[in-house]
Amino acid sequence: MNASLQGWGLWIALAGATIGTYICRAIGVLLAKRINQDSEIFRYLSAVTYAMVAALVVRMVLMPIGLLSTVPVWIRLLICALSIGVMVSKPTHRLVPALLTGTVLMLAYGLIR
Amino acid sequence: MSSADQPFIDPSEIKLEASVAQRYKNRSEAFWAGIRDAAGAPAMVLFAGMVGFGAMGKTNGMDAWFTTATSFFMFALPGQVVLLEMAITGSSVVAIALAVTLTSTRFITMTVTLFPQFHEKDRNHGLYASVHLLAMTAWAISMREFQTIEAKHRLSYFVGLGLLCWIISIPGTILGYLLAGVVPPYITLGLVFINPLFFLLTFTEVKPWVNRIAIGLGFVLGPFFFLLDRDTSLLTTGLVGGTIAYLFDRKVLRKRAGVMS
């Protein structure tokens, strides 16, 4: 703990992180004005975005930090698979039941371990 | 003329002309519809994620103001986690700002793929304010819903959706901070799992094959690039996976009739 940032340093770090995050959003707006949604570049950037978001999600599932990392990987994957099963069992309007399935299963695991 | 030479037609445009002429009567109806749609799964997901983050802030000895301020100002959960993690381990301010900015590069392409779908008249300087409301949750929902919303009402819908998501994240963080150590760990476990699960589930609704391939490649390449260099892994995975998916779609899929879109 003694290595951690304290007081003003912490807030300056937050300011830097906030500005960095907002700059990324603002660059997006700047570029969005010039991009037509029927163009090839739009199609390309969509693919890039989905790959990025997928990488973020797989990181959260496979290499989480904190409490979730105490759950064995195969349990995490099994619960994901079961929830996706509920989701695709009917093409529409299954998001909430599928979400609840996964959450309840994870709760149950935490309760019985 | 081969199919590859033809301009890409957004499926949403075809649908609009045919059946869904007007999903909403006016802007305010679209705004409230956005709020209503946010009030279900998206708010639940964000709230849960922020509760988890609030608890993380408390257990790592941060003060409540700081923990909540990150949700208010940054409103990007993965970036907030990186900030907290690095602050705890004593990284320098510059290193923190850089690492968080790299995690946030996804916002560039997220904005670029969402905002061109707004009506021409709405694509003005006001977007620099609305863009703060953009997070992965609102993006995933908007990408799906915009296909059935007429262009002139999309901005209002998005603002409603994003606003509730942003506002709900503040009490979520505070609650998580207050509840840390009070609620049993299995509840927290369920809460922190909702976030990745939600995005995993929304991926099943992605229709175009180019994007499906990109998601698949993201799953495979993501952990690999993460082990190489964690800070730049999202960016490199996106660029490599996205490029391969796009080229495969362009060179292979679109050459075959019927597989397009």
Side-chain angles (χ1 to χ4, degrees):
Chain A
M1 256 326 276
N2 49 5
S4 68
L5 280 177
Q6 303 286 337
W8 283 109
L10 209 54
W11 287 94
I12 294 165
L14 172 61
T18 302
I19 292 165
T21 303
Y22 184 76
I23 284 175
C24 287
R25 287 180 167 117
I27 292 173
V29 176
L30 197 69
L31 296 175
K33 284 181 182 166
R34 299 167 191 191
I35 289 177
N36 188 316
Q37 63 157 323
D38 299 329
S39 62
E40 284 293 322
I41 186 85
F42 181 82
R43 213 171 149 86
Y44 169 67
L45 290 169
S46 301
V48 171
T49 314
Y50 274 108
M52 276 174 115
V53 174
L56 191 62
V57 172
V58 79
R59 182 205 282 188
M60 288 195 272
V61 174
L62 290 182
M63 304 144 167
I65 50 160
L67 201 56
L68 207 55
S69 61
T70 62
V71 179
V73 171
W74 71 271
I75 298 265
R76 284 180 246 147
L77 290 175
L78 181 69
I79 295 177
C80 286
L82 290 170
S83 308
I84 291 173
V86 173
M87 182 78 181
V88 297
S89 61
K90 198 176 138 221
T92 48
H93 306 303
R94 276 282 161 92
L95 183 60
V96 175
L99 209 50
L100 286 175
T101 306
T103 311
V104 168
L105 284 174
M106 190 53 88
L107 273 174
Y109 169 79
L111 201 57
I112 58 167
R113 72 169 169 183
Chain B
M1 189 169 149
S2 78
S3 61
D5 301 318
Q6 285 168 0
F8 166 58
I9 301 160
D10 188 344
S12 61
E13 295 302 315
I14 305 167
K15 236 185 261 170
L16 279 180
E17 284 168 8
S19 58
V20 196
Q22 290 269 31
R23 181 163 157 187
Y24 304 117
K25 279 203 284 295
N26 49 46
R27 281 170 172 273
S28 112
E29 200 185 301
F31 173 80
W32 286 105
I35 297 256
R36 233 181 303 120
D37 284 2
M44 190 171 119
V45 170
L46 254 161
F47 193 77
M50 293 298 180
V51 167
F53 179 77
M56 189 182 159
K58 171 75 175 283
T59 47
N60 285 297
M62 297 292 157
D63 76 65
W65 285 106
F66 179 80
T67 310
T68 312
T70 60
S71 297
F72 184 84
F73 290 114
M74 287 175 66
F75 185 47
L77 197 51
Q80 289 172 241
V81 172
V82 170
L83 168 70
L84 205 63
E85 228 188 344
M86 291 181 79
I88 296 158
T89 52
S91 306
S92 75
V93 168
V94 178
I96 293 174
L98 257 168
V100 172
T101 306
L102 278 170
T103 342
S104 299
T105 44
R106 70 181 184 284
F107 285 124
I108 299 177
T109 57
M110 276 163 66
T111 313
V112 165
T113 49
L114 195 68
F115 283 24
Q117 300 184 51
F118 292 147
H119 194 274
E120 202 56 51
K121 270 190 288 181
D122 289 331
R123 291 165 68 180
N124 52 38
H125 290 299
L127 293 183
Y128 285 106
S130 318
V131 77
H132 183 67
L133 304 174
L134 184 64
M136 231 158 89
T137 327
W139 180 79
I141 299 288
S142 299
M143 288 296 274
R144 189 187 66 193
E145 293 296 317
F146 276 10
Q147 295 176 16
T148 56
I149 299 174
E150 55 275 34
K152 61 179 174 178
H153 290 154
R154 286 175 184 168
L155 178 65
S156 311
Y157 179 87
F158 168 77
V159 170
L161 186 75
L163 198 61
L164 188 72
C165 287
W166 182 48
I167 289 174
I168 203 87
S169 71
I170 312 304
T173 315
I174 299 171
L175 190 69
Y177 194 92
L178 296 175
L179 291 182
V182 180
V183 295
Y186 66 86
I187 301 273
T188 319
L189 200 57
L191 288 172
V192 292
F193 191 60
I194 292 179
N195 250 279
L197 190 62
F198 171 79
F199 296 114
L200 212 53
L201 294 172
T202 53
F203 286 155
T204 64
E205 297 179 312
V206 172
K207 289 286 169 341
W209 272 100
V210 52
N211 295 338
R212 286 180 175 178
I213 297 165
I215 290 168
L217 287 168
F219 283 155
V220 178
L221 297 173
F224 172 72
F225 282 116
F226 183 76
L227 294 174
L228 276 183
D229 180 57
R230 49 185 306 170
D231 287 347
T232 57
S233 65
L234 291 184
L235 194 60
T236 42
T237 308
L239 289 174
V240 174
T243 308
I244 297 172
Y246 173 78
L247 290 176
F248 182 75
D249 174 68
R250 188 173 177 143
K251 303 275 183 239
V252 182
L253 293 185
R254 276 191 268 170
K255 298 267 189 227
R256 288 192 277 167
V259 197
M260 201 188 130
S261 91

